[in-house]
Amino acid sequence: MRLQTTPETILTLLSSVHIVTAACECGYQLRDTGARYTHQIYNDFTVSPDVTGLNKNPASASFTRDWTVQSWSAGTSDLIPIPRRNDEANVYIQDGTLVMRQMGYSDADRRANRSVSIAAIQSTGQDFLHGSFRSVFKISDDHGSVGGFFWYHNDTNEIDVEVLTKEPNDTTIHYTSHPFTNPGASYPATLTKPWTEYQEHRFDWHPGNITFYQGARAVHYTTANVPKVAGNMQMNLWANGNEWSGTPSKTNVTMNVKNILFYYNTTASEAGTDQAFNQACSKAGGDSSKTICKDTDPEVKVSGAGVQRSSPTIALLLTMMATFLSYLLAISADLLAKFNLAEQFAAAAYCPSNNNSPGNKLACSSGNCPLVEAANTITFTEFQNSLVTDVTGYVAVDSTNSLIVVAFRGSESVRNYLADANFPATVTDICDGCTADAGFWNSWQEARGGVLAAVNTAIAQNPSFSILSVGHSLGGAIADFAAAEIRKMGHPASLVRFPLLSALPLLSREERYQLTRTYAKYTFGAPRIAGPKLSTFITNQGNNYRITHFDDPVPRLPPIFLNFVHISPEYRITTGNGVPVTTNDVNGPIEGAVNFAGNTHTTAFDLPAHGWYFGNISACYPGDKLEV
């Protein structure tokens, strides 16, 4: 019988796989952030039998290895009017979930000053120091309880994810780094679906910062009250009548937990002195793709138990997934440096002083291009406010880095917005039968003659210099065309794009002279500009770097169904807005004109993400308007 490999079939097969592709002797690397951790804990309750009396039942050995059900009581105070008691009977495994229960609390209980019967579990390990902590759970819709998933050392070192069922809105969740009274320590977020439905809750704790997630989406980043010591993990369901919990529910409340997954370091492994880990990694041959596991939760559970293949079809699917995950590795420090410089050249195109005064040194009044200002970069030609599309930018010569820079600004005027929204395709003369978005192509046509003439003159005067084409938003789209045509003129070029941006990567002096002259294209937040044939043509020219940022919506325009695709490859920034970008925060290269491993996979709409790449890219423009 031949297997029908429909998307549904593939998802069904993947959901049944419980495997890893290595023994993980050298730890784990996260697919979305690139962070590395030495240890892992995974509890999948969906495959567990029904069990009660978890602390003492031999059938729960896999649970008690990692967790202890709490059994302690707490009294009242001026701020806590109702006593509470953690009962072991309130924690059990049933129907494929870990159930935590808060018993109903009646008016008679209140009059008798009885304790609320609540539930809590605490990790057996007490040495969690930085990590990624996740759990899939839901809470029943019974007002008067707090469901918590948190890391704890003491009351001034605590990281909380909490649901308050007393709140009228069942999509509110609270993220806190204690003490909660400090500025910026507590943040109420909105879930994409009610907490009465299963969803993954997650926080990643790094030295100096914490990021809270809903599923794979980062929703809150904070540097307030970040702990510096190790602690334990806990989950609980409780009420004590205080201002936070409200009056305890009169009916039973339940928290149903499908799974718990941690990737983390310990005090010793963080310091590099975990001898057991170090020896195991060294014995396995050190860091490699065979000894470092990539997290693939929840579709593939990482257990550290080795590979189990049930059929050739599963092996094929694993190969497909390995290929997918290969796109999600961190970039090198050298490439990050190139991206930073290219982004700052693109940012400089937003500064009016760089658009109307050729012969001057590039500068950014907003202070967001220090690398550019540190170099000896003089504009060769500047242009702005063309009659139809208002295309704006400059051609400059950077004698410090031996570069000729062609930069285009993103959308700012009404004319630019109209150009961005012009989705009909038109035939170009870049290659036979090659089509492009008409609005973006028309913008390039306005700048084409002057830009190509300036580049030719700059090359004649600086024959050994490399060429860099950069742009953000609409500027990235235009940089694509500029790079393609300059390459056709016989000048090798690199292209770097930020949704609608292109730029050339810096090369070492040795590389520049080995290649005689290169042309790199870097774009940032750029939209799809081309039909499949033009995309293939520009991609095959090489030296393209298309940078996207998390849920930036602009790279998903124009829609794929209109037959527009991207230039390859993509490099995707995974951090939130306003967050410094490290090598671990950029995934790539992600190959292909259409690849759902990058920005294309999401439907989220985070417009501020379009303005933040390696910095506030449009900060220099008067009023700091966001380009779309």
Side-chain angles (χ1 to χ4, degrees):
M1 176 180 177
R2 184 177 179 182
L3 178 65
Q4 299 298 310
T5 54
T6 63
E8 292 78 10
T9 304
I10 292 173
L11 288 173
T12 300
L13 286 168
L14 289 179
S15 67
S16 67
V17 180
H18 187 120
I19 101 190
V20 293
T21 56
C24 314
E25 298 94 341
C26 296
Y28 306 85
Q29 184 173 39
L30 306 190
R31 61 179 176 180
D32 53 0
T33 68
R36 283 274 303 276
Y37 298 108
T38 54
H39 294 71
Q40 179 232 39
I41 288 176
Y42 181 67
N43 306 111
D44 182 3
F45 302 109
T46 65
V47 297
S48 298
D50 292 356
V51 183
T52 58
L54 290 174
N55 279 351
K56 299 177 181 178
N57 194 325
S60 62
S62 60
F63 175 84
T64 55
R65 175 194 62 207
D66 301 322
W67 298 97
T68 301
V69 179
Q70 298 296 285
S71 57
W72 50 265
S73 299
T76 62
S77 68
D78 291 341
L79 299 177
I80 301 175
I82 299 175
R84 63 196 187 278
R85 182 184 67 254
N86 285 286
D87 288 325
E88 290 188 37
N90 286 335
V91 182
Y92 50 93
I93 299 174
Q94 183 177 5
D95 297 331
T97 69
L98 176 73
V99 182
M100 303 178 68
R101 178 181 62 194
Q102 176 184 306
M103 300 298 290
Y105 191 74
S106 67
D107 292 338
D109 292 329
R110 181 70 182 95
R111 288 191 296 270
N113 198 35
R114 299 189 183 101
S115 294
V116 186
S117 179
I118 59 175
I121 62 173
Q122 178 178 305
S123 63
T124 55
Q126 304 292 308
D127 191 12
F128 295 88
L129 181 62
H130 307 131
S132 180
F133 306 92
R134 312 134 183 237
S135 180
V136 174
F137 62 84
K138 69 176 183 178
I139 301 176
S140 62
D141 190 14
D142 299 281
H143 295 283
S145 185
V146 177
F149 170 57
F150 60 103
W151 173 94
Y152 184 83
H153 175 81
N154 57 30
D155 289 347
T156 58
N157 287 276
E158 181 177 350
I159 305 170
D160 287 348
V161 175
E162 290 184 303
V163 169
L164 280 57
T165 68
K166 71 171 186 176
E167 294 182 319
N169 189 336
D170 61 2
T171 57
T172 299
I173 192 164
H174 296 265
Y175 302 134
T176 307
S177 52
H178 289 268
F180 71 91
T181 53
N182 289 352
S186 187
Y187 180 80
T190 301
L191 297 168
T192 56
K193 57 184 178 181
W195 33 256
T196 55
E197 299 180 23
Y198 284 112
Q199 53 196 297
E200 184 184 68
H201 302 276
R202 167 184 168 188
F203 62 90
D204 285 15
W205 167 33
H206 302 285
N209 64 78
I210 306 164
T211 302
F212 294 88
Y213 292 78
Q214 295 169 16
R217 175 175 168 78
V219 296
H220 178 57
Y221 170 89
T222 183
T223 58
N225 303 334
V226 179
K228 299 179 180 180
V229 292
N232 60 65
M233 287 298 299
Q234 300 186 35
M235 297 187 76
N236 60 11
L237 188 68
W238 62 274
N240 60 11
N242 70 357
E243 183 179 0
W244 194 243
S245 78
T247 302
S249 172
K250 293 182 179 181
T251 57
N252 290 355
V253 185
T254 59
M255 174 189 284
N256 295 79
V257 184
K258 282 191 172 183
N259 62 56
I260 302 170
L261 174 60
F262 305 153
Y263 297 97
Y264 65 98
N265 292 333
T266 64
T267 303
S269 68
E270 185 93 355
T273 58
D274 186 331
Q275 295 303 315
F277 174 83
N278 293 344
Q279 290 172 9
C281 180
S282 177
K283 185 177 180 179
D287 289 355
S288 73
S289 59
K290 295 181 179 179
T291 60
I292 301 172
C293 292
K294 305 297 187 302
D295 80 303
T296 53
D297 90 284
E299 294 84 3
V300 178
K301 312 314 194 275
V302 181
S303 65
V307 179
Q308 304 169 13
R309 292 184 174 88
S310 58
S311 72
T313 300
I314 294 297
L316 174 61
L317 292 174
L318 291 173
T319 301
M320 293 166 57
M321 291 196 69
T323 301
F324 174 87
L325 291 172
S326 70
Y327 296 132
L328 304 180
L329 300 176
I331 64 171
S332 68
D334 180 63
L335 188 56
L336 178 64
K338 296 172 184 177
F339 285 176
N340 271 292
L341 179 62
E343 188 260 9
Q344 292 185 26
F345 276 123
Y350 282 95
C351 304
S353 63
N354 299 327
N355 305 145
N356 56 16
S357 54
N360 289 336
K361 189 176 186 296
L362 283 179
C364 298
S365 58
S366 57
N368 62 334
C369 65
L371 296 175
V372 173
E373 291 178 327
N376 183 25
T377 306
I378 307 299
T379 57
F380 197 88
T381 187
E382 300 178 3
F383 48 94
Q384 67 173 351
N385 301 329
S386 59
L387 294 177
V388 177
T389 63
D390 197 16
V391 62
T392 297
Y394 63 83
V395 177
V397 174
D398 176 357
S399 57
T400 301
N401 295 297
S402 300
L403 292 173
I404 297 168
V405 182
V406 183
F408 299 92
R409 191 193 70 188
S411 307
E412 283 296 354
S413 71
V414 174
R415 291 196 294 271
N416 273 164
Y417 289 135
L418 292 174
D420 283 1
N422 189 1
F423 291 158
T426 188
V427 176
T428 75
D429 58 4
I430 293 179
C431 53
D432 292 338
C434 290
T435 59
D437 174 272
F440 305 147
W441 177 252
N442 290 338
S443 294
W444 165 238
Q445 292 304 292
E446 284 209 86
R448 185 181 196 176
V451 169
L452 295 182
V455 168
N456 276 328
T457 302
I459 290 173
Q461 295 178 4
N462 305 277
S464 65
F465 281 24
S466 296
I467 308 170
L468 176 66
S469 178
V470 303
H472 171 250
S473 198
L474 172 65
I478 302 173
D480 284 331
F481 299 127
E485 296 221 31
I486 293 172
R487 289 163 177 162
K488 285 184 63 180
M489 292 162 52
H491 309 305
S494 297
L495 171 61
V496 181
R497 310 166 66 246
F498 295 74
L500 283 178
L501 162 71
S502 300
L504 164 69
L506 285 179
L507 299 174
S508 68
R509 187 168 296 275
E510 291 75 12
E511 289 172 319
R512 284 199 292 270
Y513 282 106
Q514 285 173 3
L515 297 177
T516 305
R517 179 167 53 254
T518 64
Y519 191 115
K521 174 176 72 71
Y522 295 75
T523 64
F524 306 81
R528 301 181 179 103
I529 69 155
K533 191 168 184 180
L534 179 58
S535 168
T536 300
F537 181 87
I538 298 177
T539 296
N540 289 342
Q541 287 182 320
N543 270 349
N544 302 306
Y545 301 83
R546 180 174 66 85
I547 295 93
T548 64
H549 180 205
F550 206 55
D551 289 338
D552 181 353
V554 172
R556 300 194 295 277
L557 296 173
I560 295 174
F561 67 80
L562 294 179
N563 203 35
F564 291 102
V565 294
H566 273 302
I567 313 302
S568 178
E570 175 187 0
Y571 292 80
R572 184 173 182 244
I573 301 170
T574 61
T575 51
N577 303 324
V579 181
V581 179
T582 70
T583 56
N584 289 332
D585 300 327
V586 185
N587 292 335
I590 303 172
E591 305 282 354
V594 178
N595 192 320
F596 288 91
N599 175 274
T600 299
H601 89 279
T602 180
T603 58
F605 191 93
D606 184 4
L607 192 56
H610 184 57
W612 181 273
Y613 273 78
F614 298 92
N616 186 345
I617 200 164
S618 63
C620 202
Y621 191 84
D624 188 19
K625 300 174 184 176
L626 182 67
E627 18 352 284
V628 296

